[in-house]
Amino acid sequence: MSFARYIARGELARALDDMARGRVTYAPRREGDAVVFRPRAEGEEPLLARATVPPKGVIFPQSERLFAFIREKDPNDPGHTTVRLDSTVDIEPALIFGGRPCDARGFHIFDRVYLNGPHRDPYYAARREATVVVTLACNKAGSTCFCHWTGCGPADTTGSDILLTPVGEGADAGFVAVAVTERGGAVLEAANLPEADAARSDAAQAVHAATQAALDAQSPARDLSATPARLLERFSDSDFWRDMSDKCLSCGACTYLCPTCYCFNITDENDGGDGMRGRRLRSWDNCMSSLFTREASGHNPRMGKALRLRNRVGHKFSYYPQLHEGVVSCNGCGRCITGCPVSVDIREMVVRATEANEETPNA
Ligand code: SF4
Ligand code: SF4
């Protein structure tokens, strides 16, 4: 399924209204220095800027209720308590507009774990099923973008239902919209748009090629096929990881800004002081936090930040690819680099881990 429609720039808000009929639309909005995904009102002109925070929270909320619980004592036998659970999953049909290909590919990384792994996650599955992803292809490479190293790219359609590419300028500015999935096709049809003619489709291809060329000029794509093994060889090199993590503050910003980080913690929250009713919550957690792997005994197998950073890099570029047919669980969006208060650069770690071992294969 693949067909293309054309949306004139001035028609975008109307087309989005039609595509999102019956759905909550999440689109980029500026809040202070940040650009975040927020519900969009009908008719609202969408911001086309690249968001500083990915849209993963629409499908995998930062904190969500898994179920509510009520404990009831038997009045005739106070030692006997029953527990009632309400595990209703409250899901709204949604449409995410304006994420970039690296954002959409993040959902694909999640899918392998939460949909296609040994334990299908019903909460994630229900939201993913109910959400249409309309992605904006990039026409400008950011200074920290390295999607072309990781199997992603400025016009990658992985994880998207519809891909929009900006074409033309001034009065002739618009978007070529390509349906990637059947669901995307149905949504695009509903917008009643003209077909994209050959000239506009060619213009979209030219935008893809130009952005790819700009990325290549900025930093030639690297072959990361040896990286999973190289990182494992580096596993016990504590000097290397200490050096890499020297300035890390363990703040976790890199993980919260990452479209592919999917770890969580589970806590119970009581409604009153007696613990008889409350809810179980799932909230984002991350391997850069010192408490993430602390065991009930108090032992923590990843005591220092060097071991935590090793896990973050190793998981994305070694352990995940080894479990998932070579797919790297980093999309090269660069947000962890721009968002890190001390500019820890994941590219540098991957390159140094790989290159140092090339020089000294038995290091
Ligand atoms: S954002 Fe930077 S300082 Fe904070 S945990 Fe990540 S690497 Fe460390
Ligand atoms: S690790 Fe960094 S560059 Fe890679 S997807 Fe996550 S935030 Fe983006």
Side-chain angles (χ1 to χ4, degrees), residues 247-254 288 309 339-342 344:
K247 58 185 180 178
C248 171
L249 307 173
S250 292
C251 66
C254 49
M288 301 304 283
L309 193 69
C340 174
V342 290
V344 171

Side-chain angles (χ1 to χ4, degrees), residues 244-245 247-257 286-289 305 308-309 312 335-346 349:
M244 290 293 102
S245 64
K247 58 185 180 178
C248 171
L249 307 173
S250 292
C251 66
C254 49
T255 62
Y256 292 125
L257 296 174
N286 71 90
C287 62
M288 301 304 283
S289 157
K305 60 184 183 178
R308 298 196 285 272
L309 193 69
R312 176 165 160 75
R335 284 197 182 91
C336 58
I337 305 165
T338 48
C340 174
V342 290
S343 303
V344 171
D345 192 327
I346 197 163
M349 291 184 272

Side-chain angles (χ1 to χ4, degrees), residues 87-169:
S87 56
T88 316
V89 185
D90 198 8
I91 305 292
E92 287 180 307
L95 182 146
I96 299 172
F97 169 77
R100 300 307 170 108
C102 49
D103 294 330
R105 195 179 168 94
F107 295 126
H108 175 68
I109 301 294
F110 273 71
D111 290 350
R112 288 174 165 271
V113 177
Y114 287 149
L115 295 186
N116 308 325
H119 305 290
R120 185 178 166 87
D121 185 283
Y123 305 93
Y124 177 83
R127 284 202 186 82
R128 183 76 165 108
E129 182 59 32
T131 305
V132 174
V133 180
V134 181
T135 301
L136 199 55
C138 294
N139 58 359
K140 188 172 182 305
S143 64
T144 57
C145 293
F146 63 106
C147 55
H148 57 318
W149 293 20
T150 65
C152 189
D156 185 8
T157 56
T158 311
S160 298
D161 294 299
I162 297 171
L163 181 74
L164 263 56
T165 304
V167 292
E169 286 179 9

Side-chain angles (χ1 to χ4, degrees), residues 226-278:
T227 302
R230 299 285 193 209
L231 277 166
L232 282 189
E233 288 165 18
R234 274 269 167 235
F235 192 78
S236 303
D237 187 346
S238 45
D239 287 346
F240 176 79
W241 292 109
R242 208 175 298 121
D243 188 25
M244 290 293 102
S245 64
D246 212 20
K247 58 185 180 178
C248 171
L249 307 173
S250 292
C251 66
C254 49
T255 62
Y256 292 125
L257 296 174
C258 178
T260 69
C261 275
Y262 51 77
C263 288
F264 60 82
N265 191 12
I266 290 185
T267 50
D268 284 354
E269 199 173 79
N270 289 323
D271 278 345
D274 61 2
M276 296 302 277
R277 63 179 61 227

Side-chain angles (χ1 to χ4, degrees), residues 76 147 150 175 187 189 270 315 333:
N76 300 316
C147 55
T150 65
F175 303 87
V187 166
E189 291 278 26
N270 289 323
H315 179 254
C333 73

